Amino acid sequence: MTSPPPQTLRDLAESERIRLLVEGVTDYAIYILDPDGYVSSWNLGAQRFKGYLPQQIIGQHFSVFYTDEDRASGLPARALTIARETGRFESEGWRVRRDGTRFWTSVVIDAIRNDQGVLIGYGKITRDITDRKAAQDALRKSEDQFRRLVQGVTDYAIYMLSPEGVVTNWNQGAERIKGYSSTEAIGMHFSCFYAEADRNDGVPGRSLALAAREGRYEQEGWRVRRNGTRFWAHVVVDAIREEGELVGFAKVTRDVTERKLAAEALERANTALFQAQKMEAIGQLTGGIAHDFNNLLSVVSNSLEVLATRLHEHADVRILDAMRRAVDRGATLTQQLLSFARQQPLKVDTHDLNAVIQGFESVLQRAGSSSVRFDLDLAPQLRPVRVDAARFEAALLNLVVNSRDAMPEGGELIVSTADVDLAEHAVGRLPAGPYVKVSVRDTGAGMPPEVAARAFEPFFTTKPVGKGTGLGLSQVYGFCAVGRRDRPGNPARPGHHRHRLSARHCHGHRGR
């Protein structure tokens, strides 16, 4: 008997090693199908995955591993057809074990042909990837839930940007806050949400650059809606990286306009309260000093009267007259201080302020200068008001004098009246109701904020020494404050409306 040639022996040995390797693999089901799809070999991995022993499955059609739905749709036959025509079929899907349980598989079917190209069967490799699919399904479910969560948020604009700043997705909050639909926003550059001044200043680009460098960027500022209106936004931009490479940005924007307005209103209220408390304290101090000073003046005045009856020489009389004039000036100063301190009672009567102003017009004009054009702009049929006419005239004169001093090079000065109906707290703490507004406007240079904040303090002036006492606007403040304090809280009766003296001229000059 002739022994096989050495090459044939080597081929047989190699084939045996391959058979043993395939049969010993347990992580993959590796088996052979004949050209009609019947199982002709079976390895340990196939036995472990599918639950069949070799004698139980060899000779059966491989479609037994498919679900009823896949068999009904003809999937097993299509798989063999594709493998036969293209050389390979690959897919993932549910398969059925011998005990009827299902598992998710990755399947590869390769057509096997002999040296003449004739199909002699198929090599089929199946891997159980149920755990991987479960993990993928869980991840997909988590991503879907997160996506629905983000999409459903309406209080925050949450969206993604490409590394260049182009919008790549858009949630309902972004649509509500910014006014753009997702189809409008996606593909736009996010800089369109910034005010023009910020765009010109390069703010959008800097925000992305900082986020890319630091990982996070946070800021508050004005943003622009689709309709052009502005809102105050709190913005957070986070850089998103995969394996260290920047792939985009996550941007969260919240409309905090109401919070900003509330904070500003609180700051204004605190400032107003501080100013009122300061002026009240100054008024109390001023009132006490004025009373004491007035008492001293009374002693001096009475003493002068006694001396006047005893002195007869002309020189002595002149001295007494000078002393009396000094006392009178001191008394006038005392009245100004008491006026600021709101300790002078008002002599209120019903007046037509137009008539009061017109009767006082000549004095107001004389208080001006030739380089200042003086005009009246009086509303017809003005409501009557209850006011101390003399004190009103003094306050109005102080305003006119201050306006004149604010225009050393000349200008225009206008005294106007108007009926107004104020809402609650529309002007300071004034209650709602009908009012008459008196305004003094000028074309002066105005006051810086630090001067305007102290304009009503007694003895505060920016005028040169000898040009002003610093009590003019203090008198106006005292007169208006007394009017507010003595005014009843209920709406005025018809024909007895409240008055309001506007100090708008304070914005028109540098000092007092």
Side-chain angles (χ1 to χ4, degrees):
M1 183 176 179
T2 304
S3 61
Q7 181 63 40
T8 301
L9 290 174
R10 285 196 296 272
D11 291 343
L12 290 173
E14 182 67 21
S15 297
E16 181 64 15
R17 284 196 297 270
I18 292 173
R19 183 185 64 80
L20 292 174
L21 172 64
V22 169
E23 289 183 353
V25 170
T26 60
D27 287 340
Y28 291 84
I30 304 175
Y31 52 99
I32 302 296
L33 305 178
D34 68 14
D36 297 319
Y38 289 91
V39 179
S40 59
S41 73
W42 197 247
N43 80 331
L44 288 175
Q47 182 176 324
R48 185 173 72 87
F49 288 170
K50 299 178 184 286
Y52 293 90
L53 295 173
Q55 60 270 26
Q56 294 172 321
I57 195 62
I58 291 176
Q60 294 198 47
H61 198 271
F62 86 110
S63 61
V64 71
F65 309 134
Y66 284 74
T67 64
D68 292 339
E69 299 86 0
D70 287 344
R71 287 200 301 271
S73 69
L75 178 59
R78 286 199 305 276
L80 294 187
T81 299
I82 293 172
R84 183 174 64 250
E85 294 177 351
T86 66
R88 182 183 180 88
F89 172 81
E90 187 171 0
S91 73
E92 290 186 6
W94 291 110
R95 296 295 183 267
V96 182
R97 296 185 177 93
R98 183 173 182 271
D99 62 6
T101 59
R102 294 185 176 194
F103 65 105
W104 189 261
T105 63
S106 170
V107 176
V108 176
I109 302 175
D110 287 294
I112 303 174
R113 298 180 183 274
N114 61 18
D115 294 340
Q116 289 75 38
V118 177
L119 181 71
I120 60 174
Y122 301 92
K124 194 166 187 293
I125 301 176
T126 302
R127 187 181 183 190
D128 183 352
I129 57 172
T130 307
D131 291 342
R132 190 184 75 183
K133 176 176 172 54
Q136 290 174 340
D137 288 346
L139 178 60
R140 187 178 299 110
K141 182 179 179 181
S142 175
E143 289 174 345
D144 288 344
Q145 289 176 335
F146 182 73
R147 179 182 56 80
R148 287 194 296 270
L149 171 65
V150 170
Q151 288 297 325
V153 170
T154 59
D155 286 341
Y156 292 81
I158 305 174
Y159 53 100
M160 302 288 293
L161 303 177
S162 72
E164 296 74 30
V166 176
V167 178
T168 58
N169 65 21
W170 196 248
N171 80 330
Q172 291 185 29
E175 182 170 341
R176 184 184 69 84
I177 293 173
K178 297 180 181 288
Y180 294 91
S181 67
S182 58
T183 54
E184 292 173 320
I186 293 175
M188 295 171 55
H189 195 273
F190 86 112
S191 60
C192 67
F193 309 134
Y194 285 72
E196 184 177 359
D198 287 341
R199 290 199 302 271
N200 294 337
D201 197 33
V203 174
R206 285 201 301 275
S207 68
L208 294 190
L210 285 169
R213 186 172 67 249
E214 305 293 337
R216 179 183 176 87
Y217 173 78
E218 187 169 359
Q219 183 211 32
E220 290 193 1
W222 289 110
R223 295 296 183 270
V224 182
R225 296 187 178 92
R226 184 178 184 276
N227 61 8
T229 59
R230 300 200 308 169
F231 66 101
W232 188 258
H234 177 263
V235 177
V236 176
V237 182
D238 286 291
I240 301 175
R241 296 182 180 276
E242 291 182 2
E243 299 180 355
E245 182 179 353
L246 181 69
V247 296
F249 301 92
K251 196 163 188 293
V252 181
T253 301
R254 188 180 186 190
D255 182 351
V256 293
T257 308
E258 291 184 2
R259 187 190 73 185
K260 177 178 174 61
L261 295 178
E264 290 176 347
L266 179 61
E267 184 178 357
R268 288 194 299 270
N270 288 336
T271 301
L273 177 61
F274 172 76
Q275 181 69 9
Q277 292 173 336
K278 181 181 73 173
M279 298 302 287
E280 182 68 25
I282 294 174
Q284 292 176 358
L285 175 63
T286 303
I289 294 173
H291 279 299
D292 291 342
F293 187 50
N294 197 46
N295 291 336
L296 296 175
L297 287 177
S298 296
V299 173
V300 174
S301 179
N302 292 335
S303 298
L304 287 176
E305 294 299 327
V306 172
L307 287 175
T309 61
R310 298 179 181 179
L311 298 176
H312 303 288
E313 293 184 12
H314 186 65
D316 295 333
V317 173
R318 286 201 306 274
I319 293 173
L320 287 176
D321 287 341
M323 295 173 69
R324 285 196 188 97
R325 287 194 296 273
V327 170
D328 290 341
R329 286 195 298 271
T332 300
L333 175 61
T334 301
Q335 296 305 311
Q336 290 177 322
L337 292 174
L338 290 174
S339 176
F340 168 76
R342 292 174 278 175
Q343 296 183 13
Q344 289 286 82
L346 294 175
K347 298 178 182 179
V348 178
D349 204 351
T350 302
H351 293 279
D352 177 355
L353 287 186
N354 282 348
V356 174
I357 293 172
Q358 288 170 331
F360 198 54
E361 181 180 1
S362 59
V363 176
L364 297 176
Q365 288 182 335
R366 284 195 299 273
S369 66
S370 58
S371 61
V372 174
R373 191 178 73 198
F374 180 87
D375 288 316
L376 296 181
D377 181 15
L378 307 180
Q381 299 179 341
L382 197 67
R383 294 165 176 160
V385 298
R386 290 183 57 77
V387 67
D388 184 326
R391 297 281 293 282
F392 170 78
E393 289 175 346
L396 187 59
L397 180 60
N398 271 314
L399 296 179
V400 169
V401 169
N402 273 270
S403 287
R404 177 204 67 194
D405 293 344
M407 300 181 289
E409 306 299 327
E412 184 179 16
L413 190 157
I414 301 174
V415 177
S416 61
T417 61
D419 288 329
V420 294
D421 293 288
L422 296 182
E424 192 71 24
H425 303 310
V427 177
R429 290 178 291 175
L430 288 179
Y435 287 81
V436 168
K437 179 176 70 173
V438 179
S439 301
V440 177
R441 302 193 305 273
D442 62 58
T443 57
M447 288 188 291
E450 62 273 13
V451 173
R454 301 185 60 191
F456 295 107
E457 293 180 13
F459 303 113
F460 174 77
T461 181
T462 58
K463 296 176 183 178
V465 177
K467 296 293 185 179
T469 64
L471 287 171
L473 292 184
S474 299
Q475 281 188 285
V476 176
Y477 177 87
F479 170 61
C480 294
V482 170
R484 287 198 301 270
R485 183 189 63 190
D486 294 344
R487 186 181 305 120
N490 296 325
R493 297 187 301 275
H496 295 78
H497 297 287
R498 305 175 176 94
H499 70 276
R500 173 187 170 216
L501 190 65
S502 171
R504 289 186 179 180
H505 77 290
C506 292
H507 300 288
H509 62 81
R510 282 187 294 268
R512 304 165 54 219

